[in-house]
Structures are given as structure tokens and as C-alpha cells.
Amino acid sequence: MYAERVLAVAELIPPGRVMTYGDVAEWLAGEDPPEGCREDDPGWRVGGPRQVGRVMALYGGAVPWWRVVRADGRLLPGAELRAMEHYRREGTPLREAARSAERHIPRLDLRRARWDGSDPVRGD
């Protein structure tokens, strides 16, 4: 049940925007349990950023996984090039890579790319 909820949030994130693992965990912590489900039901457990990351690692291939990111803006090791293709296609804000950065891979500009769950059409 928790994994399905994490994946559902990933699908809500608009193109060109991102949420951190912690953002997704906070979003889910604010949800009410479905009708007929108690808060202490083990299937309704609320997890933190690590649990969100685990769900994305195991099941995220079916959703826009590149939109759920690390809090420091670094790209997921081993998936940097695939993620960059998506970011460039979607116009996701990036920060230039420092000359000292490994393989000169840019980071996400979280200040501009982060989505707070507001209406994606609003043009914030």
C-alpha cells in the first residue's frame, strides 16, 4: 500500500519539476488513511525519505522516477545520463557542474525545480 502511494505521488509531479524523497514522505504523512483503514494498520505505515527511496529503487521504473530526487540535487548515481535526457527534454532547471564535479555532471537547481504539490497549471 505505501509503495503504491509513493508511486502515485511520483506520477503527479509535473514535467520539469521535482520533489525530494523527503518531500514525498511529507506529502504522504499528511494524507488521511483510506476509509475503513485505521492509522495503526501496518499497510498504512508512513515512511521517511529512505523508505521513499527504497520504493523508487524497487518499483519506480513504471513512473517518472527522475522527478523524485535527492535533497542535495545530485543525480542518482548510475542513472545520471538517463535522467539528464529527461531533464533536458522537460526543461528541468539545472545548475552548471563545477569543474571539480565528477564527470562534470550538473546538479538540479532545486530552488527553481522543486514542486510543492500546488496546481501544476498555475505557473508559479
Side-chain angles (χ1 to χ4, degrees), residues 11 30 44 56 61 63 78 82 102 117:
E11 289 181 320
W44 182 254
M56 293 304 295
V63 299
R82 287 184 15 234
E102 186 177 330

Side-chain angles (χ1 to χ4, degrees), residues 61-116:
V63 299
W65 53 268
W66 58 93
R67 296 182 191 153
V68 182
V69 301
R70 296 167 48 139
D72 63 5
R74 286 190 294 168
L75 306 188
L76 187 63
E80 300 98 329
L81 297 179
R82 287 184 15 234
M84 282 302 299
E85 290 176 23
H86 293 288
Y87 296 140
R88 287 196 170 115
R89 187 176 328 117
E90 294 181 358
T92 307
L94 300 169
R95 290 185 354 206
E96 285 297 316
R99 290 182 186 257
S100 61
E102 186 177 330
R103 296 181 2 210
H104 302 287
I105 295 175
R107 287 187 183 200
L108 292 160
D109 184 342
L110 289 178
R111 186 181 55 76
R112 293 178 30 225
R114 203 171 205 167
W115 185 60
D116 64 3

